Amino acid sequence: MDLECRQETVNCWEAVGRRKVEREESGEMIVPDACPDVGEVLAVRPRLLLQRREAGEGRGEFAGLIKTTILYRPEGESGEAAMEVTLPFSATVEEPAITSGCILWTEPWVLTADVHLLNSRKVLVKAIYRLDVTAYCPRTESFLSLAEDPAPWGIRQQEGTVQAFLPVSIQEKAFTYQDTLTLPAGQPDPEEVLSLEARCLCKEARVVGDKLLFKGEAVLDLLCRDGAGVCFPVRFQLPYSQVMEGEADGDICQVSILLSDISCVQDTEDPRSFRIDLSMTAQGTVRRTLEIPVLSDLYSTTYELEAEREAVSVQTLTDRGEAQESTRILLPWPGEQPEGASCQDIQVRLVRPTLRREGEDLYLDQEVAVSALCVGETEAFGLEKTETISHRLPAGEGELCLWSAELTRDPSTQTMPEGLEVTVPLTFRWLRLEKGTCPVIRRVTLGEKRQVGEDTPSLIIRAVRGEQTLWDIAKANGAAQEDIMAASGLTDPELYSGQMLLIPRSAR
């Protein structure tokens, strides 16, 4: 028969699959009638809008838009013009463990975006994007704890602890932001908005009760042109504060914001006012270390029993932290240094994260793409370059690392004889995890009552060997620890090698 034991139930989430999907989208686009002919492409500014994520049986479906702003010099003219093109995309992730109940934590990246001029009224746009997908499924795990009624069966038992660092809550929430914003005093009146860039930052996330509270800001950078043809940047910082309902008891929170749509419409009557509409989705993860009480060992003084054991995989948190890394990236001039060259607008885009190991160290590599729109005394021109910013972490063999990088401060620029020097500051955040196994008892079966023969000695003597404990000796002889201590005249259960113990028959 099975011994009845209490059950310790753990509700958590399990990462059942991690996949990276890389795709290329391309299309030929006609220059809109309202835009002048294209003479030379100066800068390409892509952004990915992830509008659909859906988990099904064995697969995940994704769809959205890659919107690309093309800054160019009109044919036969000076100054800058802009047009926006849209490439729809869809992708499928195949993973047998995905079910309809999964949440697909997604990190989207535009790796490259190129524009080829076919003629003055037609361009070919190519964009390569990547989706890093982690599929989380809800999971309930039960562990045997102490026996419900040990006395009738002569049960002696020990309770242990399984320590595991787990995601206890995975949630997502769609929310919007709408407002009418006005340019601050001192800015010229904008005649046209050439480009719009958006970054969504989460600056704080914490658990209060059973709710996950998070707040941050959406940063909108506009490149405008006034009536004299002079370009100037405009920044709006839009604060938000949101709450995710549900069970979220934990101490390490991570919230990532996905942009699914953005609109910026200039007021026709007041050119200094803009109607802003943002659609975003927050992905929230709450993790904590659980101390799970389990039945670690047992035996019976009166019955035969069998314990089925299993080694369960666990992860423990070994380190968490953040660090700042800054890199100077030189964007060479297209020839000799232009007279009066200055930077009008700059974009830094995070494009490809990579984790690599060298010896005993982990390297967090974040690739960044820098695009600058510059102007000299005679004409505008574009500069671009891609480089990698790294952070080194010492790590043990087999350790895992969950990490992210974020542009939390603005890049700075300096004009040099060789080119435009851009200083890019990144904040790296990480969790280091160690994988291991922990033995647990899954089932206990009671057998026949143990028989003591008439010729069994009433008292036996045993010497302690090595690092044997009182529990080890009592279990090996089917004895109660307190009976051995009483027979041996012990007041302290601590033993030493070579110590002699008396084990009475009544205790066996």
PDB file of all heavy atoms in Angstrom, residues 426-446:
ATOM      1  N   LEU A 426      25.259  52.122 -23.093  1.00  0.00           N
ATOM      2  CA  LEU A 426      24.283  51.051 -22.905  1.00  0.00           C
ATOM      3  C   LEU A 426      24.257  50.614 -21.441  1.00  0.00           C
ATOM      4  O   LEU A 426      25.286  50.643 -20.754  1.00  0.00           O
ATOM      5  CB  LEU A 426      24.608  49.836 -23.770  1.00  0.00           C
ATOM      6  CG  LEU A 426      24.412  49.923 -25.283  1.00  0.00           C
ATOM      7  CD1 LEU A 426      24.658  48.556 -25.907  1.00  0.00           C
ATOM      8  CD2 LEU A 426      23.035  50.439 -25.637  1.00  0.00           C
ATOM      9  N   THR A 427      23.093  50.199 -20.992  1.00  0.00           N
ATOM     10  CA  THR A 427      22.943  49.568 -19.682  1.00  0.00           C
ATOM     11  C   THR A 427      22.670  48.087 -19.886  1.00  0.00           C
ATOM     12  O   THR A 427      21.703  47.717 -20.559  1.00  0.00           O
ATOM     13  CB  THR A 427      21.794  50.207 -18.881  1.00  0.00           C
ATOM     14  OG1 THR A 427      22.079  51.591 -18.663  1.00  0.00           O
ATOM     15  CG2 THR A 427      21.631  49.521 -17.528  1.00  0.00           C
ATOM     16  N   PHE A 428      23.555  47.248 -19.329  1.00  0.00           N
ATOM     17  CA  PHE A 428      23.382  45.796 -19.377  1.00  0.00           C
ATOM     18  C   PHE A 428      22.776  45.328 -18.052  1.00  0.00           C
ATOM     19  O   PHE A 428      23.223  45.742 -16.981  1.00  0.00           O
ATOM     20  CB  PHE A 428      24.725  45.086 -19.597  1.00  0.00           C
ATOM     21  CG  PHE A 428      25.291  45.239 -20.977  1.00  0.00           C
ATOM     22  CD1 PHE A 428      26.043  46.347 -21.319  1.00  0.00           C
ATOM     23  CD2 PHE A 428      25.074  44.265 -21.940  1.00  0.00           C
ATOM     24  CE1 PHE A 428      26.575  46.489 -22.595  1.00  0.00           C
ATOM     25  CE2 PHE A 428      25.594  44.387 -23.215  1.00  0.00           C
ATOM     26  CZ  PHE A 428      26.354  45.510 -23.542  1.00  0.00           C
ATOM     27  N   ARG A 429      21.772  44.455 -18.131  1.00  0.00           N
ATOM     28  CA  ARG A 429      21.169  43.846 -16.947  1.00  0.00           C
ATOM     29  C   ARG A 429      21.171  42.332 -17.128  1.00  0.00           C
ATOM     30  O   ARG A 429      20.914  41.844 -18.227  1.00  0.00           O
ATOM     31  CB  ARG A 429      19.741  44.349 -16.732  1.00  0.00           C
ATOM     32  CG  ARG A 429      19.646  45.849 -16.504  1.00  0.00           C
ATOM     33  CD  ARG A 429      18.218  46.279 -16.196  1.00  0.00           C
ATOM     34  NE  ARG A 429      18.132  47.707 -15.952  1.00  0.00           N
ATOM     35  CZ  ARG A 429      17.876  48.622 -16.885  1.00  0.00           C
ATOM     36  NH1 ARG A 429      17.674  48.218 -18.142  1.00  0.00           N
ATOM     37  NH2 ARG A 429      17.827  49.890 -16.593  1.00  0.00           N
ATOM     38  N   TRP A 430      21.418  41.600 -16.037  1.00  0.00           N
ATOM     39  CA  TRP A 430      21.535  40.154 -16.176  1.00  0.00           C
ATOM     40  C   TRP A 430      21.084  39.418 -14.920  1.00  0.00           C
ATOM     41  O   TRP A 430      21.073  39.955 -13.803  1.00  0.00           O
ATOM     42  CB  TRP A 430      22.967  39.759 -16.512  1.00  0.00           C
ATOM     43  CG  TRP A 430      23.941  40.057 -15.408  1.00  0.00           C
ATOM     44  CD1 TRP A 430      24.244  39.278 -14.318  1.00  0.00           C
ATOM     45  CD2 TRP A 430      24.722  41.257 -15.274  1.00  0.00           C
ATOM     46  NE1 TRP A 430      25.164  39.898 -13.532  1.00  0.00           N
ATOM     47  CE2 TRP A 430      25.481  41.129 -14.087  1.00  0.00           C
ATOM     48  CE3 TRP A 430      24.865  42.416 -16.037  1.00  0.00           C
ATOM     49  CZ2 TRP A 430      26.364  42.113 -13.661  1.00  0.00           C
ATOM     50  CZ3 TRP A 430      25.731  43.399 -15.611  1.00  0.00           C
ATOM     51  CH2 TRP A 430      26.477  43.247 -14.439  1.00  0.00           C
ATOM     52  N   LEU A 431      20.697  38.167 -15.150  1.00  0.00           N
ATOM     53  CA  LEU A 431      20.469  37.167 -14.107  1.00  0.00           C
ATOM     54  C   LEU A 431      21.307  35.956 -14.484  1.00  0.00           C
ATOM     55  O   LEU A 431      21.174  35.424 -15.589  1.00  0.00           O
ATOM     56  CB  LEU A 431      18.997  36.762 -14.032  1.00  0.00           C
ATOM     57  CG  LEU A 431      17.964  37.840 -13.698  1.00  0.00           C
ATOM     58  CD1 LEU A 431      16.559  37.267 -13.842  1.00  0.00           C
ATOM     59  CD2 LEU A 431      18.179  38.389 -12.305  1.00  0.00           C
ATOM     60  N   ARG A 432      22.158  35.522 -13.572  1.00  0.00           N
ATOM     61  CA  ARG A 432      22.951  34.314 -13.811  1.00  0.00           C
ATOM     62  C   ARG A 432      22.346  33.165 -13.019  1.00  0.00           C
ATOM     63  O   ARG A 432      22.087  33.276 -11.826  1.00  0.00           O
ATOM     64  CB  ARG A 432      24.407  34.535 -13.406  1.00  0.00           C
ATOM     65  CG  ARG A 432      25.218  35.261 -14.460  1.00  0.00           C
ATOM     66  CD  ARG A 432      26.577  35.685 -13.952  1.00  0.00           C
ATOM     67  NE  ARG A 432      27.233  34.660 -13.186  1.00  0.00           N
ATOM     68  CZ  ARG A 432      28.186  34.919 -12.275  1.00  0.00           C
ATOM     69  NH1 ARG A 432      28.554  36.163 -12.041  1.00  0.00           N
ATOM     70  NH2 ARG A 432      28.744  33.942 -11.603  1.00  0.00           N
ATOM     71  N   LEU A 433      22.132  32.042 -13.717  1.00  0.00           N
ATOM     72  CA  LEU A 433      21.471  30.890 -13.126  1.00  0.00           C
ATOM     73  C   LEU A 433      22.362  29.662 -13.228  1.00  0.00           C
ATOM     74  O   LEU A 433      23.076  29.473 -14.218  1.00  0.00           O
ATOM     75  CB  LEU A 433      20.145  30.602 -13.845  1.00  0.00           C
ATOM     76  CG  LEU A 433      19.179  31.781 -14.027  1.00  0.00           C
ATOM     77  CD1 LEU A 433      17.975  31.337 -14.836  1.00  0.00           C
ATOM     78  CD2 LEU A 433      18.752  32.333 -12.684  1.00  0.00           C
ATOM     79  N   GLU A 434      22.305  28.840 -12.197  1.00  0.00           N
ATOM     80  CA  GLU A 434      23.047  27.582 -12.188  1.00  0.00           C
ATOM     81  C   GLU A 434      22.058  26.431 -12.279  1.00  0.00           C
ATOM     82  O   GLU A 434      21.091  26.369 -11.507  1.00  0.00           O
ATOM     83  CB  GLU A 434      23.889  27.459 -10.921  1.00  0.00           C
ATOM     84  CG  GLU A 434      24.750  26.216 -10.891  1.00  0.00           C
ATOM     85  CD  GLU A 434      25.641  26.157  -9.665  1.00  0.00           C
ATOM     86  OE1 GLU A 434      25.304  26.816  -8.654  1.00  0.00           O
ATOM     87  OE2 GLU A 434      26.674  25.469  -9.702  1.00  0.00           O
ATOM     88  N   LYS A 435      22.301  25.525 -13.205  1.00  0.00           N
ATOM     89  CA  LYS A 435      21.442  24.360 -13.371  1.00  0.00           C
ATOM     90  C   LYS A 435      21.971  23.208 -12.527  1.00  0.00           C
ATOM     91  O   LYS A 435      23.173  22.999 -12.414  1.00  0.00           O
ATOM     92  CB  LYS A 435      21.370  23.939 -14.837  1.00  0.00           C
ATOM     93  CG  LYS A 435      20.696  24.941 -15.753  1.00  0.00           C
ATOM     94  CD  LYS A 435      20.616  24.428 -17.179  1.00  0.00           C
ATOM     95  CE  LYS A 435      19.717  23.227 -17.288  1.00  0.00           C
ATOM     96  NZ  LYS A 435      19.525  22.796 -18.696  1.00  0.00           N
ATOM     97  N   GLY A 436      21.052  22.483 -11.930  1.00  0.00           N
ATOM     98  CA  GLY A 436      21.438  21.333 -11.124  1.00  0.00           C
ATOM     99  C   GLY A 436      20.276  20.368 -10.976  1.00  0.00           C
ATOM    100  O   GLY A 436      19.219  20.525 -11.585  1.00  0.00           O
ATOM    101  N   THR A 437      20.491  19.325 -10.172  1.00  0.00           N
ATOM    102  CA  THR A 437      19.436  18.356  -9.888  1.00  0.00           C
ATOM    103  C   THR A 437      19.314  18.198  -8.377  1.00  0.00           C
ATOM    104  O   THR A 437      20.274  18.406  -7.630  1.00  0.00           O
ATOM    105  CB  THR A 437      19.725  16.992 -10.528  1.00  0.00           C
ATOM    106  OG1 THR A 437      20.976  16.498 -10.040  1.00  0.00           O
ATOM    107  CG2 THR A 437      19.769  17.106 -12.045  1.00  0.00           C
ATOM    108  N   CYS A 438      18.133  17.813  -7.951  1.00  0.00           N
ATOM    109  CA  CYS A 438      17.871  17.597  -6.531  1.00  0.00           C
ATOM    110  C   CYS A 438      17.065  16.308  -6.395  1.00  0.00           C
ATOM    111  O   CYS A 438      16.017  16.162  -7.032  1.00  0.00           O
ATOM    112  CB  CYS A 438      17.106  18.784  -5.946  1.00  0.00           C
ATOM    113  SG  CYS A 438      16.815  18.656  -4.174  1.00  0.00           S
ATOM    114  N   PRO A 439      17.531  15.349  -5.564  1.00  0.00           N
ATOM    115  CA  PRO A 439      16.773  14.095  -5.406  1.00  0.00           C
ATOM    116  C   PRO A 439      15.541  14.317  -4.525  1.00  0.00           C
ATOM    117  O   PRO A 439      15.614  14.943  -3.469  1.00  0.00           O
ATOM    118  CB  PRO A 439      17.778  13.160  -4.730  1.00  0.00           C
ATOM    119  CG  PRO A 439      18.720  14.076  -4.002  1.00  0.00           C
ATOM    120  CD  PRO A 439      18.792  15.333  -4.806  1.00  0.00           C
ATOM    121  N   VAL A 440      14.398  13.814  -4.964  1.00  0.00           N
ATOM    122  CA  VAL A 440      13.169  13.893  -4.184  1.00  0.00           C
ATOM    123  C   VAL A 440      12.502  12.523  -4.181  1.00  0.00           C
ATOM    124  O   VAL A 440      12.763  11.677  -5.049  1.00  0.00           O
ATOM    125  CB  VAL A 440      12.191  14.953  -4.751  1.00  0.00           C
ATOM    126  CG1 VAL A 440      12.804  16.332  -4.697  1.00  0.00           C
ATOM    127  CG2 VAL A 440      11.767  14.598  -6.167  1.00  0.00           C
ATOM    128  N   ILE A 441      11.640  12.302  -3.192  1.00  0.00           N
ATOM    129  CA  ILE A 441      10.873  11.058  -3.096  1.00  0.00           C
ATOM    130  C   ILE A 441       9.517  11.288  -3.741  1.00  0.00           C
ATOM    131  O   ILE A 441       8.799  12.223  -3.379  1.00  0.00           O
ATOM    132  CB  ILE A 441      10.724  10.631  -1.629  1.00  0.00           C
ATOM    133  CG1 ILE A 441      12.108  10.308  -1.040  1.00  0.00           C
ATOM    134  CG2 ILE A 441       9.804   9.420  -1.511  1.00  0.00           C
ATOM    135  CD1 ILE A 441      12.079   9.999   0.447  1.00  0.00           C
ATOM    136  N   ARG A 442       9.167  10.465  -4.710  1.00  0.00           N
ATOM    137  CA  ARG A 442       7.907  10.606  -5.425  1.00  0.00           C
ATOM    138  C   ARG A 442       6.805   9.706  -4.865  1.00  0.00           C
ATOM    139  O   ARG A 442       5.616  10.029  -4.952  1.00  0.00           O
ATOM    140  CB  ARG A 442       8.114  10.286  -6.902  1.00  0.00           C
ATOM    141  CG  ARG A 442       8.897  11.317  -7.676  1.00  0.00           C
ATOM    142  CD  ARG A 442       8.213  12.667  -7.628  1.00  0.00           C
ATOM    143  NE  ARG A 442       8.788  13.613  -8.583  1.00  0.00           N
ATOM    144  CZ  ARG A 442       8.464  14.892  -8.631  1.00  0.00           C
ATOM    145  NH1 ARG A 442       7.576  15.366  -7.767  1.00  0.00           N
ATOM    146  NH2 ARG A 442       9.009  15.691  -9.519  1.00  0.00           N
ATOM    147  N   ARG A 443       7.199   8.534  -4.280  1.00  0.00           N
ATOM    148  CA  ARG A 443       6.192   7.580  -3.820  1.00  0.00           C
ATOM    149  C   ARG A 443       6.815   6.686  -2.759  1.00  0.00           C
ATOM    150  O   ARG A 443       7.983   6.322  -2.848  1.00  0.00           O
ATOM    151  CB  ARG A 443       5.699   6.741  -5.002  1.00  0.00           C
ATOM    152  CG  ARG A 443       4.627   5.730  -4.670  1.00  0.00           C
ATOM    153  CD  ARG A 443       4.287   4.943  -5.931  1.00  0.00           C
ATOM    154  NE  ARG A 443       3.257   3.939  -5.676  1.00  0.00           N
ATOM    155  CZ  ARG A 443       2.865   3.038  -6.570  1.00  0.00           C
ATOM    156  NH1 ARG A 443       3.427   3.028  -7.771  1.00  0.00           N
ATOM    157  NH2 ARG A 443       1.923   2.175  -6.276  1.00  0.00           N
ATOM    158  N   VAL A 444       6.005   6.355  -1.724  1.00  0.00           N
ATOM    159  CA  VAL A 444       6.457   5.462  -0.664  1.00  0.00           C
ATOM    160  C   VAL A 444       5.473   4.296  -0.563  1.00  0.00           C
ATOM    161  O   VAL A 444       4.259   4.507  -0.402  1.00  0.00           O
ATOM    162  CB  VAL A 444       6.553   6.187   0.695  1.00  0.00           C
ATOM    163  CG1 VAL A 444       7.011   5.211   1.777  1.00  0.00           C
ATOM    164  CG2 VAL A 444       7.497   7.378   0.602  1.00  0.00           C
ATOM    165  N   THR A 445       5.996   3.064  -0.671  1.00  0.00           N
ATOM    166  CA  THR A 445       5.165   1.864  -0.605  1.00  0.00           C
ATOM    167  C   THR A 445       5.515   1.071   0.656  1.00  0.00           C
ATOM    168  O   THR A 445       6.686   0.753   0.896  1.00  0.00           O
ATOM    169  CB  THR A 445       5.387   0.976  -1.835  1.00  0.00           C
ATOM    170  OG1 THR A 445       5.125   1.745  -3.014  1.00  0.00           O
ATOM    171  CG2 THR A 445       4.459  -0.225  -1.808  1.00  0.00           C
ATOM    172  N   LEU A 446       4.489   0.785   1.474  1.00  0.00           N
ATOM    173  CA  LEU A 446       4.669  -0.023   2.678  1.00  0.00           C
ATOM    174  C   LEU A 446       4.536  -1.499   2.337  1.00  0.00           C
ATOM    175  O   LEU A 446       3.621  -1.909   1.607  1.00  0.00           O
ATOM    176  CB  LEU A 446       3.632   0.364   3.732  1.00  0.00           C
ATOM    177  CG  LEU A 446       3.847   1.706   4.437  1.00  0.00           C
ATOM    178  CD1 LEU A 446       2.628   2.063   5.265  1.00  0.00           C
ATOM    179  CD2 LEU A 446       5.087   1.661   5.302  1.00  0.00           C
TER     180      LEU A 446
END
